[in-house]
Amino acid sequence: MRAQCCVVGGGPAGMMAGLLLARQGVEVTVLEKHADFLRDFRGDTVHPSTLELIAELGWIEEFLNLPHTKMPQVAVNMGGRDVTFADFSRLNVRCPYIAFMPQWDVLDFLAGKATAYPSFRLLRRAQATELLTDQGRVTGVLADTADGPVEVRADLVIGADGRHSTVRARAGLTPVSASPPMDVLWFHLPRRPQDQVPFFQGGKGALISIDRGDYWQMAYAIPAAAFDELKTAGLPAFRNRVAHLAPALRDRVDQIHDWEAVHHLSVRVDRLPRWHRPGLLCIGDAAHAMSPAGGVGINLAVQDAVATANLLGPLLARGGEPQDTDLARVQSRRERAARITQAFQLGILRDLYPKDLGDDTTRHVPPIFTAFRTLPPLRHLLGRFIGMGVRPEHIAA
């Protein structure tokens, strides 16, 4: 196959990049290794900045017809006391809130819009295995598909295949890793209409509760690499931990039948010193894997995609071949935002999470929370930081 741009990965960064490039008339092929987007334990946050981008594209009313819940503020419950962590209500955008929406719905929406452009092609069940090169320049991708191997030749390859990026590894791009504050255990519990469960509950551990309508998607934060110790303590002890943090769900924790129902996410926080090599650009988690804290990884990935389309789309649409200097412009524009956000996750928010399995997080509330209590305007500033990002992007064409 031949394309002007081959995007590896059909997540938020890859789908948004493919859509915006195709919108400019660029011939784009997106390779998605799965048959669909239905992955149960993905991030669900759609930040105000992303909602604003969808509004700029003229699709916001249609998008908000999809099932979702709205969060105009983020409140953290620490030892029975609620602290407003971030307030989005004063943002000067059309949707001043975080929308919680299953990521598969978001990706299906973007894919549906992208396929309306004749220059867009989405290949499902296409697993990238190797990069094609010519005299040191990446010239395409070799992928395994249900119908056999496929070569996609392209003027530009975009690696948007996440924190375990095959593209990044094949390109010889090595990330610099940081020590993450926690790992996350994902599981489901039934939901009843009368349930009152805090979004974030601190105590002996930290529990995040996401309303999915007929069930709760729960994220239990544990110290990094502590999963084996937790399993050794036994499933009843784990159920008791959950019940202690969410008493309203105590009568349902026995629905966690076995450890197969608990999905372990080993959190990685890393960043590429160099996001590109001739013919290849990495964006999103492939360039800077984020912690789940604040759900900001999706926000940054989408904004990377917008910057990529704004800076490289016109060149590709003219039939040009992006050079290293063009790719460096994307990294230069987006790298500072990634660095600052990772520093925030690893530094200021570290005390939200347990140091060990016996740790009571209410005993080391982050100092910034004290400032929130005495200086409420700081909540709005943090709402802007989380909701819009360090350098919000806008659709240029």
Side-chain angles (χ1 to χ4, degrees):
M1 298 181 182
R2 173 69 190 166
Q4 290 173 288
C5 180
C6 178
V7 180
V8 180
M15 288 307 305
M16 182 62 83
L19 164 63
L20 294 180
L21 289 170
R23 185 170 173 267
Q24 297 179 54
V26 178
E27 293 180 355
V28 182
T29 296
V30 176
L31 305 179
E32 166 55 38
K33 67 180 179 181
H34 298 288
D36 55 43
F37 299 122
L38 194 60
R39 235 64 71 235
D40 208 9
F41 299 102
R42 286 183 183 262
D44 287 353
T45 53
V46 186
H47 284 62
S49 61
T50 302
L51 293 169
E52 188 70 7
L53 292 169
I54 295 172
E56 291 175 5
L57 290 165
W59 303 329
I60 191 63
E61 291 184 4
E62 182 181 355
F63 183 76
L64 292 177
N65 282 333
L66 297 171
H68 68 283
T69 56
K70 299 175 182 177
M71 181 180 285
Q73 297 178 332
V74 177
V76 175
N77 187 290
M78 301 296 290
R81 182 174 183 179
D82 284 338
V83 178
T84 300
F85 180 64
D87 189 339
F88 311 110
S89 62
R90 295 187 186 178
L91 293 176
N92 186 26
V93 292
R94 277 158 279 203
C95 302
Y97 51 81
I98 286 179
F100 280 89
M101 181 183 295
Q103 193 177 113
W104 57 80
D105 283 345
V106 177
L107 297 176
D108 277 333
F109 181 88
L110 296 177
K113 291 299 183 183
T115 53
Y117 297 101
S119 61
F120 179 87
R121 176 170 50 198
L122 172 61
L123 295 183
R124 300 179 188 267
R125 293 191 294 175
Q127 170 72 60
T129 57
E130 297 291 344
L131 295 175
L132 306 174
T133 61
D134 182 14
Q135 297 182 0
R137 181 181 178 87
V138 175
T139 58
V141 177
L142 179 65
D144 286 338
T145 75
D147 298 320
V150 169
E151 285 188 6
V152 182
R153 298 282 177 175
D155 298 320
L156 174 66
V157 173
I158 295 177
D161 51 340
R163 62 186 63 234
H164 303 291
S165 172
T166 297
V167 168
R168 180 174 72 183
R170 297 294 184 269
L173 298 174
T174 304
V176 176
S177 297
S179 176
M182 80 294 197
D183 284 353
V184 176
L185 305 180
W186 291 98
F187 55 95
H188 292 160
L189 288 176
R191 182 184 177 276
R192 297 172 187 156
Q194 69 272 21
D195 284 346
Q196 295 293 323
V197 180
F199 171 70
F200 185 104
Q201 174 71 48
K204 286 292 183 71
L207 188 68
I208 297 170
S209 309
I210 301 173
D211 181 356
R212 289 285 209 181
D214 58 351
Y215 67 90
W216 292 101
Q217 181 169 308
M218 316 297 290
Y220 187 89
I222 62 173
F227 187 44
D228 287 343
E229 181 182 350
L230 194 68
K231 289 176 72 174
T232 300
L235 198 61
F238 176 66
R239 294 183 186 130
N240 287 336
R241 285 173 173 271
V242 175
H244 176 75
L245 292 174
L249 306 179
R250 181 176 294 277
D251 62 341
R252 278 159 274 174
V253 296
D254 59 357
Q255 296 294 309
I256 310 172
H257 298 294
D258 51 44
W259 289 111
E260 293 298 316
V262 180
H263 298 257
H264 177 216
L265 172 63
S266 182
V267 175
R268 290 179 57 175
V269 179
D270 60 36
R271 183 177 63 251
L272 286 177
R274 181 181 174 91
W275 297 15
H276 56 90
R277 55 171 286 189
L280 170 70
L281 173 69
C282 290
I283 63 173
D285 276 1
H288 45 73
M290 313 299 289
S291 154
V296 294
I298 299 170
N299 187 29
L300 263 72
V302 169
Q303 297 205 29
D304 285 357
V306 176
T308 300
N310 287 346
L311 294 171
L312 304 182
L315 173 61
L316 288 164
R318 294 194 303 268
E321 188 176 83
Q323 302 303 307
D324 246 20
T325 52
D326 301 308
L327 306 181
R329 289 172 62 207
V330 178
Q331 178 175 351
S332 177
R333 182 168 182 85
R334 297 301 310 157
E335 184 175 28
R336 182 168 175 264
R339 284 178 176 270
I340 292 174
T341 305
Q342 285 184 337
F344 173 76
Q345 290 185 320
L346 296 173
I348 294 175
L349 294 187
R350 180 176 290 275
D351 282 342
L352 274 179
Y353 304 105
K355 312 298 184 185
D356 55 58
L357 290 178
D359 186 21
D360 185 344
T361 57
T362 61
R363 295 177 180 172
H364 48 76
V365 178
I368 195 171
F369 278 33
T370 302
F372 289 157
R373 295 191 188 105
T374 57
L375 297 170
L378 289 178
R379 305 169 188 170
H380 300 290
L381 291 176
L382 191 58
R384 178 171 181 80
F385 176 78
I386 292 176
M388 302 303 294
V390 174
R391 191 172 194 173
E393 303 290 345
H394 298 278
I395 308 296

